[in-house]
Amino acid sequence: VRFDDASVLVTGASSGIGEALALELAGRGARLTLAARREARLLRLAEEVGRIGAPLPRVVVGDLTAAGEAERAARAAISAWGMLDALVNNAGVSAYGEEESFDLDEYRRIMEVNYFAPVRLTLAALPHFLARRRGLVVNVTSVAAIYGVPYLGAYGASKAALTNFSQALRAELRGTGVRVMVIYPNYTDTELFLREAVTGTARRPRIRHASAARVAAAVVRAAETNRRELVLTLTGKAMQRARGLAPGLLDRVLAGMATRLREPRATDRRRTS
Ligand SMILES: NC(=O)c1ccc[n+]([C@@H]2O[C@H](COP(=O)([O-])OP(=O)(O)OC[C@H]3O[C@@H](n4cnc5c(N)ncnc54)[C@H](OP(=O)(O)O)[C@@H]3O)[C@@H](O)[C@H]2O)c1
């Protein structure tokens, strides 16, 4: 895939990985449609893209979980540029905590944003892609979709659902010219963590976070080289291997992690003793 002059819809472009992806694609000369709820952020980004010298993006403001909004975003992107070459389903929300600490409504809300919105966008763009016999769907899931990670059950389930949907669709679309890519980011330095619902008492692990710019550059490179899947970080790749080769070991490692994340940090323990 080449992105110069390509019409690309990026959801969740108002911050983090989506914003970085928009800038990376603008650097290639893509014609962008940017979707999210925070209008001011999208307009600021559109201006920045214009300053790079790329075509001024079209902005679609709305909650992708609201009735008709995902479909409206897809239509807006097609009509803004007369066509759509790639759909990047990046918008997402997170939640962290013991599985029993969430309301069922929280599980549903995460599914609406992380699973049903990308599915609806994909289905809305698909007839256009099939008619042109070309198109790329990039679905941003997570390393938490590879295997269930403690305290990320609700989030990981929504990402695993999107991964599975993507892989099924990829098989069905073989020979049509429409491709489906899955991206599994690991910890990335974004606002996701500031905005997530946190319940219960478990804490997030202290892990090095990649920059959104680095992740975005890797995603665009992977798309340009027609990769089917991109698992970020060695830990993510190790998880993928272990799932197939040593699932029992992976279970034990994750159980150890679950216990550690419920205990006070070593530094906190020293302070209180
Ligand atoms: N950061 C990580 O460590 C990490 C790891 C693995 C996977 N990911 C995935 O990467 C993707 C990007 O996340 P990020 O880390 O860049 O976080 P972020 O900075 O919080 O970005 C999330 C984006 O999604 C948009 N969004 C959320 N709910 C929406 C809704 N209902 N309708 C429309 N847009 C919505 C947000 O925009 P508005 O609030 O303006 O609507 C924002 O632009 C997500 O799918 C996330 O699950 C992130």
Side-chain angles (χ1 to χ4, degrees):
V1 177
R2 290 175 57 96
F3 286 109
D4 45 329
D5 283 336
S7 159
V8 186
L9 167 57
V10 181
T11 71
S14 56
S15 60
I17 297 171
E19 180 181 7
L21 274 169
L23 289 169
E24 188 71 27
L25 291 164
R28 309 280 208 278
R31 296 179 287 176
L32 296 169
T33 304
L34 308 174
R37 291 165 301 182
R38 287 170 296 175
E39 184 172 21
R41 295 274 200 117
L42 292 178
L43 292 175
R44 202 178 64 199
L45 175 61
E47 251 176 51
E48 198 176 337
V49 167
R51 275 200 300 276
I52 297 174
L56 202 64
R58 164 78 190 262
V59 160
V60 184
V61 180
D63 182 337
L64 290 169
T65 66
E69 283 299 300
E71 294 76 10
R72 184 175 73 89
R75 278 198 309 274
I78 295 168
S79 71
W81 303 105
M83 74 190 84
L84 185 65
D85 295 296
L87 160 65
V88 183
N89 282 311
N90 163 79
V93 290
S94 175
Y96 195 80
E98 289 89 339
E99 306 322 321
E100 70 274 19
S101 66
F102 292 112
D103 289 343
L104 205 53
D105 283 348
E106 189 60 21
Y107 281 87
R108 287 210 173 90
R109 187 184 72 89
I110 293 173
M111 271 294 183
E112 287 294 339
V113 184
N114 293 0
Y115 178 64
F116 287 109
V119 166
R120 284 169 47 208
L121 273 149
T122 304
L123 297 180
L126 203 52
H128 176 78
F129 287 159
L130 288 171
R132 295 182 70 218
R133 299 198 61 76
R134 58 179 289 180
L136 172 67
V137 180
V138 179
N139 285 334
V140 178
T141 72
S142 163
V143 294
I146 295 172
Y147 202 90
V149 173
Y151 314 123
L152 282 172
Y155 174 76
S158 70
K159 295 297 193 177
L162 181 59
T163 299
N164 202 299
F165 166 78
S166 308
Q167 291 164 337
L169 189 66
R170 181 193 295 145
E172 292 170 32
L173 292 175
R174 192 165 82 167
T176 64
V178 185
R179 296 182 39 249
V180 183
M181 247 182 102
V182 181
I183 312 293
Y184 307 79
N186 203 340
Y187 274 100
T188 310
D189 188 12
T190 70
E191 294 172 22
L192 191 81
F193 308 100
L194 304 176
R195 307 176 83 202
E196 72 182 357
V198 180
T199 56
T201 56
R203 57 194 161 74
R204 283 272 191 185
R206 276 188 180 156
I207 286 179
R208 213 176 76 81
H209 287 40
S211 76
R214 258 188 98 142
V215 172
V219 171
V220 171
R221 259 197 320 276
E224 284 173 335
T225 51
N226 297 335
R227 294 272 300 273
R228 304 155 38 255
E229 309 236 326
L230 174 67
V231 179
L232 274 301
T233 77
L234 282 175
T235 312
K237 291 182 175 80
M239 260 175 79
Q240 198 179 37
R241 282 281 169 84
R243 182 185 63 181
L245 295 175
L249 173 67
L250 185 56
D251 268 338
R252 284 197 294 282
V253 169
L254 292 168
M257 185 176 144
T259 306
R260 267 197 319 281
L261 293 174
R262 269 196 308 255
E263 289 165 353
R265 283 197 176 91
T267 46
D268 299 342
R269 270 205 301 276
R270 269 203 299 279
R271 240 177 262 133
T272 50
S273 63

